[in-house]
Amino acid sequence: MSGAEGRVAARLAELGLTLPAAAAPLAAYVPAVRSGAHVWTSGQLPFVEGVMPTTGKVGGGLDAETATALARTAALNALAAVGALLASEGPVTDPATALDRVRRVVKVVGFVASDPAFTGQPAVVNGASLLLHEVFGEAGVHARSAVGVAALPLDAAVEIELVVEVD
């Protein structure tokens, strides 16, 4: 990607989004790790200001539309983890501006806590995929897995992981 510094922050603002602070780990891990030209995030839950807005299994009391919005929120949280890591490397210290260093979203893995009869995991994880495309344009188009699981930490409905290529 090329252009003026702060283009990702500007794009987030155009979308009416604010990059949250990276969530603190819930156990013995870090939110993101860089290896060479790639940043790998830990699974990110759909926290909003430190609170899980809703919990439960999709198809078992939680509708797919709500879960899709949660996937979008979890992807924004994953971007926050990437931005915080890149900002810690300098020279830019603002995580949203540091996201200008993302060259491509390589892979998204989405986990959906699902009722056994629910099979719409790809549609739910589209919430994350579409956000990344909206933020990064063609560089946000990625490979992806959408996996149904019996349960997620804190009874979250979705969890999103990213792999991004960076400068």
Side-chain angles (χ1 to χ4, degrees), residues 66-145:
T66 299
T68 300
L70 293 169
R72 183 176 174 91
T73 299
L76 187 62
N77 290 341
L79 287 179
V82 172
L85 177 74
L86 294 174
S88 76
E89 294 178 352
V92 175
T93 59
D94 173 55
T97 304
L99 287 173
D100 286 353
R101 294 176 53 200
V102 172
R103 296 290 147 239
R104 176 167 194 92
V105 178
V106 177
K107 175 83 182 213
V108 172
V109 179
F111 301 96
V112 181
S114 304
D115 179 84
F118 182 74
T119 60
Q121 292 84 6
V124 169
V125 179
N126 271 348
S129 293
L130 293 173
L131 171 78
L132 296 166
H133 185 251
E134 290 171 8
V135 171
F136 294 107
E138 287 304 307
V141 177
H142 50 269
R144 185 181 88 181
S145 298

